[in-house]
Amino acid sequence: MNKITFLKIAGLVFIMLIIYACAKKGRPDGGPIDEQPPKVVKASPPNYTINFDQEEIQINFDEYIKLEDPRSQIIFSPPIEPRPEIDPLSFATKKLSILMPDSLLDNTTYTINFGNSIVDNNEGNPLPYYSYVFSTGDYLDSLSVKGRVRDAYSRQVENDISIMLYALDTSYTDSAVYKKNPRYIAYAKDSTNNFEINNLKAGKYKMIAVEDNNRNYTYEPQTDKIGFFKGSISVPTDTIYDIAVFKEQQPIDFKRPAQITKNQYLIGYTGTIDSTAINVDFLNDQDSLSWVIEKRPDSDSLNLWTTPFLDRDSIAMKISHHQVIDTFTLRPKAIEKDSLEVEQITKSPLDLFDALSLKPNIPLTDIDTSKIKTYHKKDSTPVNFKLDYYSYSNQVIISHNKQENTSYVYKIMPGAFQDWLGNENDTLSYTLKTKKESDYGNIDLTISGINEFPAIIQLVDDKDQVIKSTYLKENRLINFEYVKPGELFVRVIIDRNENKIWDTGDFLKNKQPEIIIYSKEPIKNRANWDVQQSIKF
Protein backbone atom coordinates (compact mmCIF):
# COMPACT_ATOMS: atom_id res chain seq x y z
CA MET A 1 0.00 0.00 0.00
CA ASN A 2 1.51 3.36 -1.01
CA LYS A 3 1.42 6.48 1.10
CA ILE A 4 -1.36 8.20 -0.90
CA THR A 5 -3.70 5.19 -0.61
CA PHE A 6 -3.05 4.96 3.13
CA LEU A 7 -3.89 8.64 3.63
CA LYS A 8 -7.13 8.26 1.67
CA ILE A 9 -8.24 5.29 3.78
CA ALA A 10 -7.30 7.03 7.04
CA GLY A 11 -9.23 10.13 5.98
CA LEU A 12 -12.30 8.09 5.10
CA VAL A 13 -12.23 6.33 8.47
CA PHE A 14 -11.91 9.69 10.25
CA ILE A 15 -14.93 11.11 8.40
CA MET A 16 -17.03 8.01 9.23
CA LEU A 17 -16.15 8.35 12.92
CA ILE A 18 -17.25 11.99 12.88
CA ILE A 19 -20.56 11.08 11.19
CA TYR A 20 -21.19 8.29 13.73
CA ALA A 21 -20.46 10.60 16.65
CA CYS A 22 -22.81 13.26 15.29
CA ALA A 23 -25.57 10.72 14.68
CA LYS A 24 -25.33 9.08 18.09
CA LYS A 25 -28.17 10.25 20.38
CA GLY A 26 -28.34 10.62 24.15
CA ARG A 27 -25.91 11.79 26.77
CA PRO A 28 -22.16 11.01 26.44
CA ASP A 29 -21.13 7.75 28.10
CA GLY A 30 -20.15 8.30 31.70
CA GLY A 31 -22.07 11.57 32.04
CA PRO A 32 -24.37 12.09 35.03
CA ILE A 33 -28.10 11.41 34.70
CA ASP A 34 -30.23 14.54 34.93
CA GLU A 35 -32.29 14.14 38.11
CA GLN A 36 -33.28 17.78 38.54
CA PRO A 37 -36.84 18.90 37.77
CA PRO A 38 -37.34 21.80 35.38
CA LYS A 39 -37.52 25.28 36.91
CA VAL A 40 -39.75 28.23 36.15
CA VAL A 41 -37.50 31.14 35.22
CA LYS A 42 -40.19 33.68 34.39
CA ALA A 43 -43.97 34.06 34.36
CA SER A 44 -45.80 36.86 32.62
CA PRO A 45 -47.80 38.31 34.27
CA PRO A 46 -45.85 37.32 37.41
CA ASN A 47 -47.26 34.64 39.69
CA TYR A 48 -49.61 36.04 42.36
CA THR A 49 -50.65 38.96 40.18
CA ILE A 50 -53.62 41.05 41.35
CA ASN A 51 -56.03 43.06 39.18
CA PHE A 52 -55.45 40.46 36.45
CA ASP A 53 -56.86 41.55 33.08
CA GLN A 54 -54.64 39.71 30.56
CA GLU A 55 -55.72 37.45 27.71
CA GLU A 56 -52.61 35.27 27.92
CA ILE A 57 -50.30 33.84 30.57
CA GLN A 58 -46.77 32.80 29.59
CA ILE A 59 -44.60 30.52 31.73
CA ASN A 60 -40.93 30.06 30.77
CA PHE A 61 -38.71 27.16 31.90
CA ASP A 62 -34.93 26.62 32.11
CA GLU A 63 -35.10 23.55 29.84
CA TYR A 64 -37.41 21.84 27.38
CA ILE A 65 -40.53 20.43 29.06
CA LYS A 66 -43.54 18.44 27.95
CA LEU A 67 -47.00 17.94 29.45
CA GLU A 68 -48.16 14.49 30.52
CA ASP A 69 -51.91 13.85 30.82
CA PRO A 70 -52.69 17.60 30.94
CA ARG A 71 -56.46 17.17 30.69
CA SER A 72 -56.68 15.34 34.01
CA GLN A 73 -53.61 16.77 35.75
CA ILE A 74 -54.15 20.50 35.17
CA ILE A 75 -57.09 21.93 37.08
CA PHE A 76 -58.48 25.43 37.30
CA SER A 77 -59.95 26.47 40.64
CA PRO A 78 -62.58 27.83 40.53
CA PRO A 79 -63.33 26.02 37.24
CA ILE A 80 -63.19 28.28 34.18
CA GLU A 81 -65.64 27.72 31.33
CA PRO A 82 -64.78 27.47 28.57
CA ARG A 83 -61.59 25.78 29.68
CA PRO A 84 -58.49 27.90 28.88
CA GLU A 85 -56.40 26.78 25.93
CA ILE A 86 -52.86 25.58 26.73
CA ASP A 87 -50.25 25.68 23.99
CA PRO A 88 -48.38 23.51 23.17
CA LEU A 89 -50.03 20.37 24.48
CA SER A 90 -48.26 17.70 22.43
CA PHE A 91 -44.61 18.64 21.89
CA ALA A 92 -41.60 19.87 23.85
CA THR A 93 -41.18 23.55 24.59
CA LYS A 94 -39.50 26.04 26.90
CA LYS A 95 -42.59 28.25 27.04
CA LEU A 96 -46.20 27.47 27.88
CA SER A 97 -48.98 29.82 26.80
CA ILE A 98 -52.37 29.78 28.52
CA LEU A 99 -55.07 31.64 26.63
CA MET A 100 -57.74 32.95 28.99
CA PRO A 101 -61.40 33.33 28.01
CA ASP A 102 -63.34 36.49 28.84
CA SER A 103 -65.53 34.65 31.39
CA LEU A 104 -63.41 35.28 34.51
CA LEU A 105 -65.37 36.44 37.54
CA ASP A 106 -64.68 39.79 39.17
CA ASN A 107 -62.81 39.96 42.48
CA THR A 108 -61.94 36.28 42.38
CA THR A 109 -58.70 34.46 43.17
CA TYR A 110 -57.89 31.73 40.63
CA THR A 111 -55.40 28.88 40.96
CA ILE A 112 -54.00 26.88 38.04
CA ASN A 113 -52.63 23.67 39.54
CA PHE A 114 -50.44 21.69 37.15
CA GLY A 115 -50.30 18.54 39.32
CA ASN A 116 -47.57 16.26 37.98
CA SER A 117 -48.09 17.19 34.34
CA ILE A 118 -44.85 19.21 33.86
CA VAL A 119 -41.82 16.96 33.19
CA ASP A 120 -38.49 17.63 31.51
CA ASN A 121 -38.25 16.36 27.96
CA ASN A 122 -35.14 14.17 28.35
CA GLU A 123 -35.45 12.25 31.62
CA GLY A 124 -39.08 12.86 32.52
CA ASN A 125 -38.29 14.50 35.89
CA PRO A 126 -41.54 16.08 37.18
CA LEU A 127 -42.03 19.57 38.57
CA PRO A 128 -44.63 18.48 41.17
CA TYR A 129 -47.69 20.55 42.00
CA TYR A 130 -46.59 23.81 40.47
CA SER A 131 -49.36 26.40 40.82
CA TYR A 132 -49.96 29.73 39.16
CA VAL A 133 -52.19 32.07 41.18
CA PHE A 134 -53.80 35.35 40.19
CA SER A 135 -56.70 37.53 41.25
CA THR A 136 -59.11 39.64 39.22
CA GLY A 137 -59.51 41.83 42.31
CA ASP A 138 -57.07 43.99 44.29
CA TYR A 139 -56.06 41.22 46.76
CA LEU A 140 -55.36 37.48 46.86
CA ASP A 141 -57.48 35.16 49.01
CA SER A 142 -55.05 33.29 51.25
CA LEU A 143 -57.00 30.81 53.39
CA SER A 144 -56.74 27.04 53.02
CA VAL A 145 -58.37 23.71 53.92
CA LYS A 146 -56.49 20.43 54.44
CA GLY A 147 -57.52 16.82 54.75
CA ARG A 148 -57.31 13.28 53.47
CA VAL A 149 -59.56 11.12 51.31
CA ARG A 150 -59.89 7.36 51.42
CA ASP A 151 -62.05 4.66 49.91
CA ALA A 152 -64.91 3.66 52.20
CA TYR A 153 -64.56 -0.03 51.29
CA SER A 154 -61.12 -0.74 49.84
CA ARG A 155 -57.69 -0.28 51.40
CA GLN A 156 -56.51 1.89 48.54
CA VAL A 157 -57.98 4.65 46.41
CA GLU A 158 -57.89 3.42 42.82
CA ASN A 159 -58.34 6.67 40.88
CA ASP A 160 -57.79 10.39 41.33
CA ILE A 161 -60.24 12.07 43.69
CA SER A 162 -61.45 15.64 43.24
CA ILE A 163 -62.18 17.57 46.43
CA MET A 164 -64.80 20.23 45.77
CA LEU A 165 -66.05 23.17 47.83
CA TYR A 166 -69.47 24.68 47.15
CA ALA A 167 -70.25 28.07 48.68
CA LEU A 168 -73.25 27.78 51.00
CA ASP A 169 -75.11 30.80 49.71
CA THR A 170 -78.80 31.20 48.96
CA SER A 171 -78.44 29.42 45.61
CA TYR A 172 -76.94 26.21 47.02
CA THR A 173 -78.93 22.97 47.04
CA ASP A 174 -77.76 19.37 47.39
CA SER A 175 -78.41 18.91 43.67
CA ALA A 176 -75.58 21.35 42.84
CA VAL A 177 -73.02 18.53 42.77
CA TYR A 178 -74.93 16.97 39.83
CA LYS A 179 -75.32 20.18 37.80
CA LYS A 180 -72.90 22.98 38.75
CA ASN A 181 -69.17 23.46 38.95
CA PRO A 182 -67.83 23.92 42.48
CA ARG A 183 -66.39 27.18 43.79
CA TYR A 184 -63.01 25.56 44.52
CA ILE A 185 -61.44 22.27 43.50
CA ALA A 186 -58.25 20.32 44.19
CA TYR A 187 -56.94 16.76 43.74
CA ALA A 188 -55.72 14.32 46.37
CA LYS A 189 -51.94 13.97 46.06
CA ASP A 190 -50.37 10.70 44.94
CA SER A 191 -50.54 7.66 47.23
CA THR A 192 -50.84 9.77 50.40
CA ASN A 193 -54.35 10.86 49.38
CA ASN A 194 -53.81 14.11 51.28
CA PHE A 195 -55.29 17.29 49.85
CA GLU A 196 -54.94 21.01 50.33
CA ILE A 197 -57.17 23.65 48.80
CA ASN A 198 -55.47 27.03 48.88
CA ASN A 199 -56.35 30.67 48.18
CA LEU A 200 -59.83 30.39 49.64
CA LYS A 201 -62.17 33.17 50.65
CA ALA A 202 -63.60 33.15 54.18
CA GLY A 203 -67.06 31.66 54.39
CA LYS A 204 -69.13 28.49 54.79
CA TYR A 205 -68.81 25.62 52.31
CA LYS A 206 -70.06 22.13 51.57
CA MET A 207 -67.10 19.76 51.12
CA ILE A 208 -67.60 16.92 48.65
CA ALA A 209 -65.12 14.42 47.21
CA VAL A 210 -65.80 12.83 43.81
CA GLU A 211 -64.01 10.18 41.80
CA ASP A 212 -64.62 12.32 38.73
CA ASN A 213 -64.02 9.78 35.96
CA ASN A 214 -65.36 12.06 33.22
CA ARG A 215 -63.35 15.10 34.40
CA ASN A 216 -66.38 17.37 34.15
CA TYR A 217 -66.40 18.67 37.76
CA THR A 218 -69.83 17.13 38.46
CA TYR A 219 -71.02 13.92 40.09
CA GLU A 220 -72.44 11.18 37.86
CA PRO A 221 -73.69 8.33 40.07
CA GLN A 222 -73.52 5.73 37.29
CA THR A 223 -69.73 6.06 36.97
CA ASP A 224 -68.41 8.04 39.96
CA LYS A 225 -67.88 7.51 43.66
CA ILE A 226 -68.77 10.26 46.12
CA GLY A 227 -67.90 11.26 49.67
CA PHE A 228 -68.91 14.22 51.79
CA PHE A 229 -68.35 15.94 55.10
CA LYS A 230 -71.57 15.80 57.07
CA GLY A 231 -72.61 19.37 57.64
CA SER A 232 -70.77 22.52 56.58
CA ILE A 233 -67.19 23.68 57.03
CA SER A 234 -66.25 27.22 58.04
CA VAL A 235 -63.13 28.87 56.59
CA PRO A 236 -60.76 29.76 58.21
CA THR A 237 -60.35 26.43 60.01
CA ASP A 238 -57.59 24.32 61.59
CA THR A 239 -59.53 21.07 61.22
CA ILE A 240 -57.94 18.25 59.20
CA TYR A 241 -60.87 16.71 57.34
CA ASP A 242 -61.29 13.01 56.60
CA ILE A 243 -63.60 11.96 53.76
CA ALA A 244 -64.49 8.44 52.60
CA VAL A 245 -65.68 7.98 49.00
CA PHE A 246 -68.20 5.26 48.16
CA LYS A 247 -70.27 3.94 45.28
CA GLU A 248 -73.93 4.65 45.85
CA GLN A 249 -76.47 1.93 45.29
CA GLN A 250 -78.09 2.67 41.97
CA PRO A 251 -81.84 2.46 41.29
CA ILE A 252 -82.99 -0.58 39.39
CA ASP A 253 -83.08 0.00 35.64
CA PHE A 254 -83.41 -2.83 33.12
CA LYS A 255 -81.82 -2.59 29.69
CA ARG A 256 -83.29 -3.79 26.41
CA PRO A 257 -82.97 -7.62 26.10
CA ALA A 258 -80.58 -8.98 23.48
CA GLN A 259 -81.05 -12.47 22.05
CA ILE A 260 -77.98 -14.68 22.64
CA THR A 261 -79.22 -18.10 21.56
CA LYS A 262 -82.51 -19.54 20.39
CA ASN A 263 -84.06 -19.55 23.87
CA GLN A 264 -81.78 -17.16 25.74
CA TYR A 265 -81.85 -13.36 26.16
CA LEU A 266 -79.36 -11.13 27.94
CA ILE A 267 -80.82 -8.33 30.10
CA GLY A 268 -78.43 -5.77 31.52
CA TYR A 269 -79.38 -3.76 34.59
CA THR A 270 -78.16 -1.23 37.14
CA GLY A 271 -78.75 -1.40 40.88
CA THR A 272 -79.00 -4.35 43.24
CA ILE A 273 -81.39 -7.13 42.27
CA ASP A 274 -83.55 -9.02 44.75
CA SER A 275 -83.92 -12.40 43.04
CA THR A 276 -87.25 -13.09 44.76
CA ALA A 277 -88.78 -9.87 43.42
CA ILE A 278 -88.25 -10.39 39.68
CA ASN A 279 -91.28 -11.23 37.58
CA VAL A 280 -91.76 -11.55 33.82
CA ASP A 281 -95.07 -11.33 31.97
CA PHE A 282 -95.51 -12.02 28.25
CA LEU A 283 -98.40 -9.72 27.49
CA ASN A 284 -99.95 -11.57 24.55
CA ASP A 285 -98.54 -15.02 25.22
CA GLN A 286 -99.03 -15.51 28.96
CA ASP A 287 -100.19 -19.12 28.51
CA SER A 288 -97.79 -19.96 25.69
CA LEU A 289 -94.39 -19.17 27.18
CA SER A 290 -92.55 -20.28 30.29
CA TRP A 291 -89.48 -18.50 31.60
CA VAL A 292 -86.65 -18.65 34.12
CA ILE A 293 -84.03 -16.07 35.09
CA GLU A 294 -80.46 -16.55 36.32
CA LYS A 295 -77.74 -14.06 37.33
CA ARG A 296 -74.66 -13.91 35.14
CA PRO A 297 -71.53 -14.10 37.34
CA ASP A 298 -69.35 -11.87 35.18
CA SER A 299 -71.49 -8.74 34.90
CA ASP A 300 -74.59 -6.87 36.09
CA SER A 301 -76.88 -8.76 33.77
CA LEU A 302 -79.42 -11.57 33.73
CA ASN A 303 -80.03 -14.55 31.49
CA LEU A 304 -83.71 -14.88 30.56
CA TRP A 305 -84.61 -18.32 29.21
CA THR A 306 -87.92 -18.83 27.41
CA THR A 307 -89.63 -21.93 26.03
CA PRO A 308 -91.02 -22.95 23.66
CA PHE A 309 -89.55 -20.98 20.79
CA LEU A 310 -92.30 -18.91 19.13
CA ASP A 311 -91.60 -18.28 15.48
CA ARG A 312 -93.14 -14.83 15.11
CA ASP A 313 -92.02 -11.26 14.41
CA SER A 314 -92.28 -9.95 17.98
CA ILE A 315 -93.23 -10.81 21.56
CA ALA A 316 -94.22 -8.13 24.13
CA MET A 317 -92.60 -8.62 27.53
CA LYS A 318 -92.96 -6.82 30.87
CA ILE A 319 -90.28 -7.26 33.54
CA SER A 320 -90.92 -5.97 37.06
CA HIS A 321 -88.93 -5.64 40.28
CA HIS A 322 -90.92 -4.25 43.22
CA GLN A 323 -92.18 -0.87 41.94
CA VAL A 324 -89.93 -0.84 38.84
CA ILE A 325 -91.69 -1.93 35.65
CA ASP A 326 -90.21 -1.94 32.14
CA THR A 327 -91.79 -3.13 28.90
CA PHE A 328 -89.79 -4.44 25.94
CA THR A 329 -90.37 -6.10 22.61
CA LEU A 330 -88.50 -9.32 21.80
CA ARG A 331 -87.83 -10.16 18.17
CA PRO A 332 -86.99 -13.89 18.24
CA LYS A 333 -84.65 -15.40 15.68
CA ALA A 334 -84.40 -19.11 14.90
CA ILE A 335 -80.82 -19.48 16.16
CA GLU A 336 -79.45 -22.98 16.74
CA LYS A 337 -80.71 -24.60 19.95
CA ASP A 338 -78.39 -24.85 22.95
CA SER A 339 -76.95 -28.13 24.16
CA LEU A 340 -76.18 -28.76 27.83
CA GLU A 341 -72.61 -28.13 28.94
CA VAL A 342 -71.27 -28.16 32.51
CA GLU A 343 -68.32 -26.02 33.60
CA GLN A 344 -66.11 -27.12 36.50
CA ILE A 345 -65.62 -24.07 38.74
CA THR A 346 -63.61 -25.65 41.57
CA LYS A 347 -60.17 -26.84 40.51
CA SER A 348 -57.59 -29.11 42.11
CA PRO A 349 -56.00 -28.89 44.68
CA LEU A 350 -59.16 -28.68 46.75
CA ASP A 351 -59.23 -26.74 50.01
CA LEU A 352 -60.38 -28.81 52.96
CA PHE A 353 -63.42 -26.59 53.47
CA ASP A 354 -64.28 -26.07 49.81
CA ALA A 355 -66.83 -28.01 47.77
CA LEU A 356 -67.03 -29.05 44.13
CA SER A 357 -68.85 -26.28 42.26
CA LEU A 358 -70.33 -26.91 38.82
CA LYS A 359 -72.10 -24.41 36.56
CA PRO A 360 -74.38 -25.61 33.76
CA ASN A 361 -74.81 -23.28 30.80
CA ILE A 362 -78.61 -23.76 30.96
CA PRO A 363 -80.75 -23.71 34.14
CA LEU A 364 -81.61 -27.15 35.50
CA THR A 365 -85.09 -28.44 36.23
CA ASP A 366 -84.22 -31.86 37.63
CA ILE A 367 -81.24 -33.50 39.37
CA ASP A 368 -81.18 -37.28 39.96
CA THR A 369 -78.70 -37.79 42.82
CA SER A 370 -78.91 -41.59 42.38
CA LYS A 371 -76.85 -41.10 39.20
CA ILE A 372 -74.11 -39.21 41.06
CA LYS A 373 -71.30 -41.04 42.90
CA THR A 374 -68.45 -39.72 45.03
CA TYR A 375 -65.66 -42.01 46.20
CA HIS A 376 -62.01 -42.23 47.26
CA LYS A 377 -59.80 -42.61 44.23
CA LYS A 378 -57.38 -44.94 46.05
CA ASP A 379 -59.80 -47.74 46.95
CA SER A 380 -63.16 -46.62 45.47
CA THR A 381 -64.70 -46.34 48.95
CA PRO A 382 -68.03 -44.43 48.60
CA VAL A 383 -68.34 -41.01 50.23
CA ASN A 384 -71.62 -39.60 51.48
CA PHE A 385 -72.24 -36.21 49.94
CA LYS A 386 -74.71 -33.35 50.02
CA LEU A 387 -75.90 -31.70 46.80
CA ASP A 388 -77.33 -28.17 46.64
CA TYR A 389 -78.63 -26.38 43.58
CA TYR A 390 -78.87 -22.57 43.56
CA SER A 391 -81.20 -21.60 40.73
CA TYR A 392 -80.49 -17.84 40.68
CA SER A 393 -76.74 -18.36 40.23
CA ASN A 394 -77.35 -21.68 38.41
CA GLN A 395 -74.71 -23.59 40.38
CA VAL A 396 -74.50 -27.17 41.63
CA ILE A 397 -72.54 -27.61 44.88
CA ILE A 398 -71.38 -31.09 45.97
CA SER A 399 -69.98 -31.08 49.51
CA HIS A 400 -68.76 -33.75 51.94
CA ASN A 401 -66.31 -34.34 54.76
CA LYS A 402 -62.73 -34.50 53.53
CA GLN A 403 -59.42 -35.90 54.61
CA GLU A 404 -56.13 -34.17 53.93
CA ASN A 405 -53.94 -35.15 50.98
CA THR A 406 -56.67 -37.37 49.54
CA SER A 407 -57.99 -37.71 45.99
CA TYR A 408 -61.76 -37.86 45.43
CA VAL A 409 -63.63 -38.85 42.27
CA TYR A 410 -67.01 -37.32 41.35
CA LYS A 411 -68.89 -39.41 38.76
CA ILE A 412 -72.02 -37.96 37.17
CA MET A 413 -73.81 -40.45 34.95
CA PRO A 414 -75.93 -39.57 31.87
CA GLY A 415 -79.33 -38.15 32.79
CA ALA A 416 -78.30 -36.93 36.27
CA PHE A 417 -78.90 -33.36 35.11
CA GLN A 418 -81.88 -32.30 33.02
CA ASP A 419 -81.97 -28.69 31.88
CA TRP A 420 -84.81 -26.32 31.26
CA LEU A 421 -84.87 -27.08 27.52
CA GLY A 422 -85.08 -30.86 28.03
CA ASN A 423 -81.38 -31.63 27.44
CA GLU A 424 -79.53 -34.20 29.56
CA ASN A 425 -75.85 -34.43 30.42
CA ASP A 426 -73.35 -36.92 29.07
CA THR A 427 -71.00 -38.75 31.47
CA LEU A 428 -69.03 -36.30 33.60
CA SER A 429 -66.07 -37.17 35.79
CA TYR A 430 -63.91 -34.97 38.03
CA THR A 431 -60.95 -35.85 40.24
CA LEU A 432 -59.83 -33.44 42.96
CA LYS A 433 -57.08 -33.84 45.54
CA THR A 434 -57.20 -32.08 48.87
CA LYS A 435 -54.31 -30.15 50.35
CA LYS A 436 -52.34 -31.22 53.41
CA GLU A 437 -53.16 -29.66 56.76
CA SER A 438 -49.53 -28.53 56.87
CA ASP A 439 -50.23 -26.39 53.78
CA TYR A 440 -52.23 -24.02 55.99
CA GLY A 441 -51.53 -21.75 58.91
CA ASN A 442 -53.64 -20.83 61.93
CA ILE A 443 -54.14 -17.27 63.19
CA ASP A 444 -55.18 -16.34 66.72
CA LEU A 445 -56.28 -12.72 66.57
CA THR A 446 -56.74 -10.30 69.46
CA ILE A 447 -58.33 -6.95 68.57
CA SER A 448 -58.51 -3.86 70.76
CA GLY A 449 -59.79 -0.35 70.15
CA ILE A 450 -63.12 -1.47 68.69
CA ASN A 451 -65.83 -0.14 70.99
CA GLU A 452 -68.89 -0.69 68.80
CA PHE A 453 -70.52 -4.04 68.09
CA PRO A 454 -71.65 -6.09 66.27
CA ALA A 455 -68.72 -6.14 63.87
CA ILE A 456 -67.69 -8.25 60.89
CA ILE A 457 -64.02 -9.31 61.18
CA GLN A 458 -62.40 -10.43 57.94
CA LEU A 459 -59.02 -11.54 56.68
CA VAL A 460 -58.46 -10.12 53.18
CA ASP A 461 -55.61 -10.45 50.69
CA ASP A 462 -53.81 -7.62 48.93
CA LYS A 463 -56.72 -7.37 46.45
CA ASP A 464 -59.28 -7.05 49.28
CA GLN A 465 -60.69 -10.52 48.56
CA VAL A 466 -62.14 -12.16 51.67
CA ILE A 467 -60.19 -15.22 52.85
CA LYS A 468 -61.87 -15.78 56.23
CA SER A 469 -64.68 -14.02 58.08
CA THR A 470 -66.43 -14.10 61.44
CA TYR A 471 -69.13 -12.10 63.22
CA LEU A 472 -68.54 -10.57 66.64
CA LYS A 473 -71.25 -9.40 69.02
CA GLU A 474 -68.63 -8.68 71.68
CA ASN A 475 -64.87 -8.59 71.85
CA ARG A 476 -63.20 -12.00 72.16
CA LEU A 477 -60.23 -14.00 70.91
CA ILE A 478 -60.69 -14.85 67.22
CA ASN A 479 -59.31 -18.11 65.84
CA PHE A 480 -58.99 -18.46 62.07
CA GLU A 481 -58.05 -22.05 61.14
CA TYR A 482 -56.74 -23.46 57.87
CA VAL A 483 -55.70 -20.11 56.42
CA LYS A 484 -53.80 -20.01 53.13
CA PRO A 485 -50.21 -18.73 53.40
CA GLY A 486 -49.55 -15.13 52.41
CA GLU A 487 -49.79 -11.56 53.60
CA LEU A 488 -53.26 -10.78 54.90
CA PHE A 489 -54.92 -7.66 56.25
CA VAL A 490 -57.62 -7.44 58.91
CA ARG A 491 -60.81 -5.63 57.89
CA VAL A 492 -63.35 -4.57 60.52
CA ILE A 493 -66.87 -3.58 59.43
CA ILE A 494 -69.03 -1.90 62.07
CA ASP A 495 -72.42 -3.46 61.32
CA ARG A 496 -74.73 -0.81 62.75
CA ASN A 497 -77.94 -2.17 61.25
CA GLU A 498 -76.99 -5.78 62.13
CA ASN A 499 -77.69 -7.20 58.67
CA LYS A 500 -74.25 -8.89 58.49
CA ILE A 501 -73.18 -7.07 55.31
CA TRP A 502 -71.52 -3.73 54.58
CA ASP A 503 -73.95 -0.96 53.63
CA THR A 504 -72.93 1.92 51.41
CA GLY A 505 -73.91 5.56 51.84
CA ASP A 506 -76.45 7.87 50.22
CA PHE A 507 -75.55 11.50 49.50
CA LEU A 508 -79.04 12.96 49.17
CA LYS A 509 -80.15 11.18 52.37
CA ASN A 510 -77.04 12.53 54.15
CA LYS A 511 -76.16 8.93 55.04
CA GLN A 512 -72.53 7.91 55.47
CA PRO A 513 -71.45 4.34 54.63
CA GLU A 514 -70.87 1.90 57.45
CA ILE A 515 -67.41 2.29 58.97
CA ILE A 516 -64.61 0.04 57.75
CA ILE A 517 -61.18 -0.08 59.38
CA TYR A 518 -58.12 -1.88 58.01
CA SER A 519 -55.00 -2.98 59.84
CA LYS A 520 -52.04 -0.87 58.76
CA GLU A 521 -49.59 -3.77 58.52
CA PRO A 522 -50.27 -7.22 57.04
CA ILE A 523 -50.21 -10.46 58.99
CA LYS A 524 -47.57 -12.74 57.51
CA ASN A 525 -49.20 -16.16 57.56
CA ARG A 526 -47.00 -19.19 56.84
CA ALA A 527 -47.80 -22.81 56.08
CA ASN A 528 -47.78 -25.15 59.09
CA TRP A 529 -47.43 -22.18 61.43
CA ASP A 530 -49.48 -20.77 64.30
CA VAL A 531 -49.58 -16.98 64.46
CA GLN A 532 -50.61 -15.01 67.55
CA GLN A 533 -51.42 -11.46 66.48
CA SER A 534 -52.63 -8.46 68.48
CA ILE A 535 -53.96 -5.45 66.58
CA LYS A 536 -54.97 -2.14 68.11
CA PHE A 537 -57.22 0.08 66.00
Side-chain angles (χ1 to χ4, degrees), residues 287-503:
D287 299 327
S288 304
L289 283 170
S290 298
W291 62 272
V292 66
I293 274 183
E294 64 165 316
K295 171 74 173 68
R296 289 178 68 97
D298 55 349
S299 62
D300 288 339
S301 53
L302 304 169
N303 283 327
L304 169 67
W305 298 85
T306 64
T307 190
F309 175 77
L310 297 182
D311 189 7
R312 61 178 61 175
D313 291 338
S314 63
I315 300 172
M317 182 196 82
K318 180 177 72 175
I319 183 168
S320 58
H321 182 278
H322 294 301
Q323 287 77 34
V324 177
I325 300 174
D326 284 312
T327 303
F328 302 102
T329 299
L330 307 182
R331 302 189 184 282
K333 299 178 182 178
I335 305 173
E336 184 178 353
K337 180 183 176 182
D338 288 293
S339 58
L340 178 61
E341 298 176 1
V342 179
E343 179 186 1
Q344 179 186 355
I345 303 299
T346 310
K347 307 294 183 182
S348 194
L350 181 64
D351 280 325
L352 287 171
F353 294 98
D354 276 355
L356 173 62
S357 176
L358 304 173
K359 184 167 180 58
N361 65 323
I362 304 172
L364 302 181
T365 55
D366 186 62
I367 299 176
D368 186 350
T369 55
S370 68
K371 296 181 179 180
I372 301 175
K373 308 295 180 184
T374 301
Y375 54 87
H376 290 267
K377 181 180 180 181
K378 184 177 181 180
D379 56 11
S380 299
T381 305
V383 174
N384 293 326
F385 66 89
K386 177 186 176 184
L387 186 144
D388 293 291
Y389 175 63
Y390 299 92
S391 58
Y392 186 54
S393 59
N394 192 25
Q395 279 191 297
V396 176
I397 306 295
I398 301 176
S399 57
H400 57 87
N401 293 330
K402 302 176 189 65
Q403 300 172 3
E404 66 167 332
N405 198 30
T406 302
S407 293
Y408 295 92
V409 177
Y410 305 84
K411 199 81 169 181
I412 302 175
M413 304 306 294
F417 297 155
Q418 186 175 81
D419 71 24
W420 201 70
L421 300 178
N423 301 310
E424 295 184 348
N425 65 286
D426 296 326
T427 299
L428 303 171
S429 182
Y430 310 98
T431 300
L432 298 177
K433 185 176 181 179
T434 58
K435 294 181 179 180
K436 302 175 185 177
E437 288 192 11
S438 58
D439 291 338
Y440 302 90
N442 297 317
I443 299 176
D444 290 330
L445 186 62
T446 302
I447 291 178
S448 60
I450 303 298
N451 301 315
E452 191 173 349
F453 293 94
I456 305 168
I457 313 298
Q458 298 174 331
L459 291 179
V460 300
D461 61 18
D462 59 353
K463 296 181 180 178
D464 294 341
Q465 298 298 309
V466 177
I467 305 301
K468 294 284 183 177
S469 182
T470 191
Y471 196 73
L472 290 188
K473 293 187 176 180
E474 59 184 13
N475 211 345
R476 60 173 173 80
L477 176 68
I478 303 167
N479 177 244
F480 290 116
E481 295 182 324
Y482 300 103
V483 183
K484 298 176 183 179
E487 291 193 346
L488 303 171
F489 293 86
V490 178
R491 177 164 66 197
V492 178
I493 302 173
I494 306 301
D495 186 25
R496 287 180 170 164
N497 62 358
E498 301 185 22
N499 64 350
K500 298 187 178 181
I501 60 172
W502 177 75
D503 292 287

Side-chain angles (χ1 to χ4, degrees), residues 70-124:
R71 178 66 187 177
S72 61
Q73 285 287 325
I74 302 175
I75 58 175
F76 299 87
S77 180
I80 302 172
E81 296 295 341
R83 185 180 172 92
E85 295 181 18
I86 301 176
D87 183 61
L89 278 177
S90 57
F91 56 86
T93 183
K94 280 191 173 184
K95 181 178 71 175
L96 283 179
S97 294
I98 305 171
L99 302 178
M100 306 302 294
D102 58 4
S103 56
L104 298 181
L105 303 175
D106 295 334
N107 300 312
T108 301
T109 299
Y110 286 91
T111 300
I112 306 174
N113 192 326
F114 287 84
N116 287 309
S117 65
I118 301 173
V119 300
D120 69 50
N121 187 51
N122 291 326
E123 302 293 343

